[in-house]
Amino acid sequence: MLYPMQLRENEFIRMLAIRRNRDGEVGKEKGDRIVSFVKDFEQYKGFILKYRYTHDVYNQIATNRENKDGTIGSQRMKRVLYLDFDQKEYPDMKDARDFTKMIRDKIPKLFIHAYINSGHGFHYYISVKSTCDIKNITEINKSLANILGADLKTQISRPPCTFNHKIEDGTYDYDRKNIGKWSYVKVINNSYGVGRQFKQYELEYISKLIRYYHQEQENIKILERTRWNYEALNEYPCYLCVRKMLNEGASKGQRNFW
């Protein structure tokens, strides 16, 4: 879902393995931050299996040009919109069903192709047609995240079958003897490619959904009623009775008439 089966010659998937201190800050020792660029699924899998017990493992959402940093300027192609929700920011949300409902309540026509439990939150993926216009898809992703209350900065995600080493008290623990305290990153739902009706979204369609959302928000705003200025009747190109009702509301006892 995230990457094509065949990458171009100078196209890579950027992987990160990060080891934090107890307070969550990235360590400064050699080996605390490892970056690798892989070309296929076997290398991708190998990186995960090598570092998942000793580090928090991440993959970049977009493919990368050569072995450069992960900034927008070095990203080549993207195939998903990505939403990252931190559980601690939503104390009233119990599980993925609550987050899914929140998304669908705000944008009912947005189909979610996959979501995973990241250990202390949830990652959602919406499949779109491949694009090399990284700036455009990033802006659309930010707009969607802003509406839904997801992290606006995230360009990397935790792949399934890794561990989130942040334990219940908020500290980080990499001692394998305490593996029972770690959270396993796992897929909850994956509908990518399933069924005859499956299709990847056009980015323009997602933009329309975003515009519809904002229009709806404008439509449901309660406009403050203002008293009508009866001293300036000739200045209003509208019947007084209509304008009065629009500004002051229907008079009590005459709502059926209006």
Side-chain angles (χ1 to χ4, degrees):
M1 180 174 64
L2 268 66
Y3 315 112
M5 294 300 294
Q6 186 71 39
L7 298 176
R8 296 193 176 190
E9 182 179 356
N10 292 324
E11 184 178 23
F12 296 86
I13 299 168
R14 183 170 176 265
M15 306 290 294
L16 293 93
I18 295 175
R19 186 179 176 91
R20 296 177 170 85
N21 62 26
R22 183 176 175 81
D23 296 326
E25 298 173 345
V26 179
K28 297 181 180 180
E29 299 295 327
K30 183 178 180 180
D32 284 341
R33 189 178 187 276
I34 299 168
V35 179
S36 183
F37 297 85
V38 302
K39 289 289 293 182
D40 55 38
F41 179 74
E42 287 304 315
Q43 294 178 2
Y44 178 87
K45 175 183 174 182
F47 186 90
I48 290 172
L49 295 179
K50 181 176 181 179
Y51 294 109
R52 64 177 179 168
Y53 291 106
T54 56
H55 295 70
D56 285 276
V57 177
Y58 302 88
N59 52 220
Q60 186 169 286
I61 300 299
T63 61
N64 215 63
R65 289 188 179 89
E66 301 178 343
N67 57 346
K68 297 180 181 179
D69 58 18
T71 61
I72 289 179
S74 68
Q75 294 174 23
R76 181 187 174 272
M77 185 270 296
K78 204 170 183 179
R79 294 161 56 100
V80 295
L81 298 172
Y82 170 64
L83 301 167
D84 179 9
F85 295 97
D86 191 336
Q87 181 82 61
K88 70 181 181 182
E89 296 180 6
Y90 295 87
D92 296 330
M93 301 283 204
K94 295 180 180 179
D95 52 33
R97 287 173 294 187
D98 290 337
F99 284 93
T100 302
K101 183 179 184 303
M102 178 182 70
I103 293 171
R104 289 176 176 163
D105 284 346
K106 291 185 176 181
I107 309 182
K109 293 185 178 180
L110 181 65
F111 184 80
I112 303 163
H113 292 94
Y115 44 97
I116 72 171
N117 185 329
S118 64
H120 293 277
F122 299 94
H123 295 171
Y124 285 81
Y125 298 88
I126 296 106
S127 178
V128 298
K129 291 189 176 179
S130 302
T131 179
C132 293
D133 189 348
I134 299 299
K135 183 178 180 180
N136 183 40
I137 191 173
T138 300
E139 288 304 313
I140 292 173
N141 206 142
K142 286 182 178 178
S143 296
L144 197 60
N146 189 50
I147 290 171
L148 299 171
D151 191 328
L152 295 172
K153 299 179 181 179
T154 310
Q155 294 292 326
I156 57 176
S157 67
R158 293 178 182 269
C161 305
T162 60
F163 293 98
N164 187 328
H165 293 84
K166 186 177 181 180
I167 60 178
E168 193 170 339
D169 64 3
T171 62
Y172 283 79
D173 180 7
Y174 295 91
D175 189 341
R176 195 162 177 174
K177 293 185 296 184
N178 298 323
I179 191 172
K181 297 181 180 180
W182 303 345
S183 298
Y184 192 63
V185 180
K186 58 186 178 182
V187 175
I188 301 174
N189 179 65
N190 182 9
S191 301
Y192 177 77
V194 176
R196 294 181 179 179
Q197 294 183 337
F198 168 79
K199 63 179 180 180
Q200 295 168 307
Y201 280 121
E202 297 277 359
L203 283 178
E204 178 54 31
Y205 180 74
I206 302 294
S207 295
K208 285 182 180 179
L209 294 183
I210 292 172
R211 289 197 295 270
Y212 291 157
Y213 171 82
H214 289 302
Q215 289 170 5
E216 184 66 18
Q217 295 307 298
E218 289 297 320
N219 291 339
I220 65 176
K221 284 182 179 179
I222 301 175
L223 300 179
E224 182 180 355
R225 299 292 185 180
T226 57
R227 295 294 297 176
W228 192 243
N229 181 6
Y230 294 99
E231 301 299 326
L233 296 181
N234 294 330
E235 296 181 12
Y236 302 111
C238 182
Y239 288 109
L240 171 62
C241 59
V242 176
R243 182 58 65 183
K244 178 180 183 297
M245 186 271 292
L246 291 175
N247 282 266
E248 299 180 5
S251 301
K252 185 177 180 181
Q254 296 198 18
R255 291 174 184 171
N256 289 341
F257 176 78
W258 286 116

